[in-house]
Amino acid sequence: MSNTEIELARKLANVIENSRVNSEIAQKLFDIETQILTCTTSQALLHQLLSSIKDKFNLTGICLLLADPIPISYLLSGNMHSNWHRENCKNIAMKELQKLHPHRKPFLTNTPHIIETIIPKSLRAQTQSAALIPLIIEDKLFGSLLFTDDDKERFQPNLGTLHLEQLAVKVSLCLSNTLIREQLEYMAHYDRLTGVANRRLMETSINEELIRQHRYNVPFSLLFIDCNKFKQINDTYGHDCGDKVLTYVATQLKELIRENDKCFRYAGDEFVITLASQTYEEALLACKRLTEFFKNNPMPYQGSYLPITISCGAAASDGQQTMEELLQQADEQLYLRKKAEVTNENI
């Protein structure tokens, strides 16, 4: 065999080998994409994504780097508090992230000391090479997936990045779709101003509690709350102040109730709190505790303090009432208490 034939055979063998490797990589990417497409939440998607990539590509480590500040306001909001996320995600300054991906292309290195501050401490000792792929949503760079390996030759700067770029696009699209769905669900069930659940979610929650009471014979109570003199506050200080009052009341109510209890914005300045497994007597004690808190804790406003008080009515289910009847009973109690408070003020 001549030298020319040998060289052609070698090149053909390289082409076949590259084709095989590329086919294997493409199949792995397809498997990962198939797995993450089944995820319905951003938390589940990230968990599945990082686990799948690390397993299929036999990586030493993997981590999600998130830009700080996040360029998209709703991105992963409130979703980064689990132990898993704290272990597998890390914040990175936006300027530092932009330096890594100036042209929004993957960054590869086998001199990991140059990005030592970016690599989580738990991965540094075994990292000999690393790859970072940019993640983009709404044409904004918001993060990067960090892959680390104990093989110095695994991620060399001169390696092709086509497959990494394809993975970055697929991950960004899947995460974008999931986050948009979560945002729509949030808007459908939560009040944008105060952050508490809205009336639609309240109806679902109360009906679930009534079913639970009927099935297990456990008590269930709720509170109907409104802000005293709210119209007067709006007229005197303006609607911006009124919005701050509603947000302040909602925030304090959420912090003051138990973990199993839930707070909802019913309408305007009215809120409803469900008290799981609580009797009427316990509901009355909750009313007293909440009203006294606001009497003793005025709202900070423009360098001073604005007195904010609430009125509260309670109702307990007897197992026969509908949700509407229970809310009406609590609302009637609220009206009686408010009337009594006005009478006391005039005495």
Side-chain angles (χ1 to χ4, degrees):
M1 182 179 291
S2 66
N3 289 337
T4 301
E5 289 174 328
I6 293 173
E7 181 62 21
L8 287 173
R10 186 184 65 80
K11 288 182 177 179
L12 179 59
N14 287 338
V15 169
I16 294 173
E17 176 61 18
N18 288 337
S19 177
R20 183 189 65 79
V21 172
N22 288 337
S23 178
E24 289 179 356
I25 293 175
Q27 183 60 50
K28 290 177 180 179
L29 293 177
F30 176 77
D31 291 342
I32 291 171
E33 183 180 6
T34 302
Q35 289 175 334
I36 62 179
L37 280 173
T38 63
C39 299
T40 58
T41 68
S42 58
Q43 293 193 50
L45 185 148
L46 289 174
H47 196 300
Q48 182 65 61
L49 173 68
L50 270 62
S51 300
S52 296
I53 292 176
K54 184 178 180 182
D55 177 60
K56 289 188 176 296
F57 289 98
N58 195 28
L59 297 168
T60 304
I62 186 169
C63 179
L64 172 64
L65 304 176
L66 287 173
D68 186 16
I70 290 285
I72 304 171
S73 60
Y74 65 82
L75 185 63
L76 302 175
S77 177
N79 290 344
M80 302 295 292
H81 302 304
S82 70
N83 289 332
W84 184 91
H85 283 87
R86 282 190 287 270
E87 292 172 1
N88 293 276
C89 304
K90 181 180 178 181
N91 289 336
I92 177 174
M94 175 58 82
K95 290 183 178 179
E96 198 167 3
L97 182 64
Q98 290 171 336
K99 287 180 181 179
L100 289 168
H101 305 293
H103 304 295
R104 299 190 174 184
K105 296 289 185 179
F107 174 86
L108 280 66
T109 181
N110 55 2
T111 53
H113 68 272
I114 65 175
I115 57 169
E116 185 177 9
T117 57
I118 295 172
I119 302 173
K121 291 182 180 179
S122 59
L123 301 179
R124 289 176 190 172
Q126 52 189 346
T127 298
Q128 294 299 313
S129 63
L132 294 101
I133 64 172
L135 300 178
I136 298 167
I137 290 182
E138 297 179 3
D139 199 33
K140 295 177 181 178
L141 177 67
F142 75 89
S144 182
L145 273 178
L146 168 67
F147 306 154
T148 66
D149 201 84
D150 56 7
D151 181 359
K152 195 173 183 66
E153 304 304 315
R154 179 72 182 272
F155 299 114
Q156 300 180 52
N158 61 348
L159 288 178
T161 61
L162 175 62
H163 292 301
L164 292 176
E165 292 176 39
Q166 291 175 340
L167 178 60
V169 171
K170 292 179 179 180
V171 170
S172 296
L173 285 173
C174 289
L175 188 55
S176 177
N177 290 337
T178 303
L179 289 168
I180 289 171
R181 182 168 61 247
E182 286 184 346
Q183 183 70 357
L184 290 174
E185 290 178 357
Y186 179 87
M187 292 172 65
H189 295 107
Y190 288 85
D191 177 52
R192 292 188 63 184
L193 174 64
T194 63
V196 299
N198 63 17
R199 188 167 176 171
R200 179 183 298 180
L201 198 56
M202 178 203 74
E203 292 174 355
T204 300
S205 180
I206 291 177
N207 282 322
E208 287 176 351
E209 286 294 340
L210 292 175
I211 292 172
R212 192 170 75 93
Q213 181 189 36
H214 181 74
R215 182 174 299 170
Y216 300 108
N217 195 31
V218 293
F220 170 62
S221 300
L222 59 78
L223 309 180
F224 207 107
I225 297 168
D226 77 357
C227 304
N228 295 328
K229 301 180 180 178
F230 182 70
K231 184 179 183 304
Q232 183 178 327
I233 292 173
N234 263 334
D235 293 341
T236 304
Y237 298 97
H239 290 285
D240 181 63
C241 178
D243 287 347
K244 286 182 171 58
V245 168
L246 293 175
T247 302
Y248 174 75
V249 170
T251 301
Q252 301 307 318
L253 289 175
K254 284 195 299 182
E255 292 182 357
L256 290 167
I257 60 179
R258 304 172 309 159
E259 186 177 349
N260 291 336
D261 301 331
K262 298 176 183 177
C263 178
F264 307 89
R265 186 179 180 189
Y266 185 78
D269 65 324
E270 297 173 327
F271 297 87
V272 169
I273 291 176
T274 57
L275 303 173
S277 304
Q278 296 287 284
T279 63
Y280 181 66
E281 289 72 21
E282 290 170 322
L284 291 178
L285 290 175
C287 277
K288 182 178 180 181
R289 180 168 57 87
L290 294 177
T291 54
E292 287 182 351
F293 172 86
F294 285 99
K295 287 179 182 178
N296 298 326
N297 293 273
M299 183 185 81
Y301 182 68
Q302 294 185 348
S304 185
Y305 290 91
L306 184 64
I308 303 295
T309 60
I310 64 169
S311 293
C312 188
S317 172
D318 59 8
Q320 303 299 319
Q321 297 158 300
T322 64
M323 175 186 67
E324 291 76 13
E325 291 170 337
L326 198 59
L327 287 168
Q328 182 179 356
Q329 182 181 333
D331 190 26
E332 290 172 353
Q333 291 298 313
L334 168 67
Y335 174 77
L336 292 174
R337 288 179 178 274
K338 189 178 284 287
K339 187 176 180 180
E341 290 165 1
V342 171
T343 301
N344 291 334
E345 287 180 0
N346 294 331
I347 294 177

